[in-house]
């Protein structure tokens, strides 16, 4: 009987310690994560697309760690991925719908692919540059360069969409292209807003 009670108390004590550790662990992690998310929400509220900004960047909260530089880096990385995906979509549409398009339409889509390519290059340059950012050392120079490249990328993608409109690309084809380009543009806009707060 004594042995049974001893085993029972040992088991109870072990469970108590385990549960206590879990509670302490949760209390130490969750507030930090909450603070990171609050930081991202506050920064995203300064953009033209706060909901898109928060939904896109909050999964990287622990990586961003309340740093505006890291926030901008992640925003650029996500935007680069989205823009590369846009390039793939437009190229695929060009090949699939090509035989149905007239010369003007085909030319506009080809130009669009080229403009998106420029945008990708400018975002890549921005990513490389933002890595060198150091507050109070080269901050103004780096920030200015990155803002210039992101602004140029926005211009490129607007040029792509304007070209489709001017060429009167048929609606069925444009509907396959525009949503992806617009998403990329919105992410670029978000990134530019965040850079302006750097």
């Amino acid at each position: 009987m004594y042995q049974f009670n001893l085993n029972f108390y040992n088991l109870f004590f072990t469970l108590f310690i385990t549960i206590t550790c879990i509670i302490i662990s949760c209390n130490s992690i969750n507030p930090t994560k909450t603070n990171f998310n609050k930081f991202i929400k506050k920064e995203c509220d300064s953009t033209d697309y706060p909901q898109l900004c928060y939904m896109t960047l909050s999964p990287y909260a622990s990586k961003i760690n309340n740093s505006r530089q890291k926030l901008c880096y992640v925003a650029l990385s996500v935007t680069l991925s989205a823009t590369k995906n846009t390039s793939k979509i437009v190229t695929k549409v060009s090949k699939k719908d090509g035989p149905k398009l007239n010369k003007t339409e085909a030319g506009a889509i080809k130009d669009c692919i080229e403009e998106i390519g420029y945008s990708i290059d400018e975002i890549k340059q921005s990513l490389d540059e933002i890595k060198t950012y150091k507050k109070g050392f080269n901050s103004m120079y780096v920030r200015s360069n990155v803002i210039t490249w992101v602004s140029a990328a926005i211009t490129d993608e607007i040029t792509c969409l304007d070209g489709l409109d001017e060429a009167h690309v048929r609606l069925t084809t444009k509907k396959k292209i525009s949503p992806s380009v617009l998403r990329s543009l919105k992410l670029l806009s978000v990134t530019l807003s965040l850079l302006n707060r750097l």
Side-chain angles (χ1 to χ4, degrees), residues 2 6-7 12 20-21 33 39 46 49 51-52 58 77 82 85 100-101 106 114 119 125 144 173 175 185:
Y2 176 78
L6 186 60
N7 289 338
F12 178 79
T20 302
C21 287
K33 187 175 181 182
F39 167 76
S46 70
Y49 307 99
Q51 189 174 0
L52 173 65
S58 58
S77 298
N85 185 58
K100 298 181 289 185
L101 303 174
E114 192 172 276
S119 180
Q125 285 178 296
S144 176
T173 298
K175 278 183 177 179
L185 259 175

Side-chain angles (χ1 to χ4, degrees), residues 63-77:
K63 184 176 181 180
I64 291 166
N65 193 21
N66 287 8
S67 164
R68 282 181 173 170
Q69 180 191 6
K70 291 177 182 177
L71 180 67
C72 290
Y73 181 83
V74 170
L76 282 165
S77 298

Side-chain angles (χ1 to χ4, degrees), residues 36-147:
F36 291 165
N37 285 334
K38 282 181 179 177
F39 167 76
I40 293 171
K41 187 177 186 308
K42 182 182 176 183
E43 295 298 305
C44 284
D45 284 344
S46 70
T47 71
D48 290 334
Y49 307 99
Q51 189 174 0
L52 173 65
C53 175
Y54 184 75
M55 287 178 65
T56 304
L57 300 179
S58 58
Y60 305 94
S62 58
K63 184 176 181 180
I64 291 166
N65 193 21
N66 287 8
S67 164
R68 282 181 173 170
Q69 180 191 6
K70 291 177 182 177
L71 180 67
C72 290
Y73 181 83
V74 170
L76 282 165
S77 298
V78 170
T79 303
L80 177 61
S81 179
T83 308
K84 283 181 176 179
N85 185 58
T86 297
S87 180
K88 289 178 184 177
I89 288 171
V90 180
T91 301
K92 185 177 179 180
V93 171
S94 176
K95 290 177 181 177
K96 188 175 180 181
D97 289 12
K100 298 181 289 185
L101 303 174
N102 61 42
K103 188 176 179 180
T104 305
E105 290 174 309
I109 294 175
K110 183 182 177 183
D111 289 344
C112 181
I113 294 170
E114 192 172 276
E115 294 293 344
I116 293 170
Y118 296 150
S119 180
I120 289 170
D121 289 341
E122 285 148 359
I123 298 168
K124 284 180 178 177
Q125 285 178 296
S126 300
L127 269 169
D128 288 339
E129 187 76 357
I130 201 73
K131 290 176 188 176
T132 69
Y133 179 90
K134 291 182 182 178
K135 194 74 175 176
F137 175 66
N138 63 348
S139 56
M140 292 297 291
Y141 175 76
V142 170
R143 180 174 171 271
S144 176
N145 284 343
V146 177
I147 286 174

Side-chain angles (χ1 to χ4, degrees), residues 138-181:
N138 63 348
S139 56
M140 292 297 291
Y141 175 76
V142 170
R143 180 174 171 271
S144 176
N145 284 343
V146 177
I147 286 174
T148 298
W149 286 321
V150 171
S151 299
I154 289 172
T155 300
D156 291 332
E157 297 194 21
I158 290 173
T159 301
C160 158
L161 291 175
D162 287 346
L164 298 180
D165 289 337
E166 289 167 10
H168 302 292
V169 173
R170 61 199 64 197
L171 192 59
T172 52
T173 298
K174 194 155 58 171
K175 278 183 177 179
K176 299 173 188 176
I177 295 172
S178 295
S180 184
V181 179

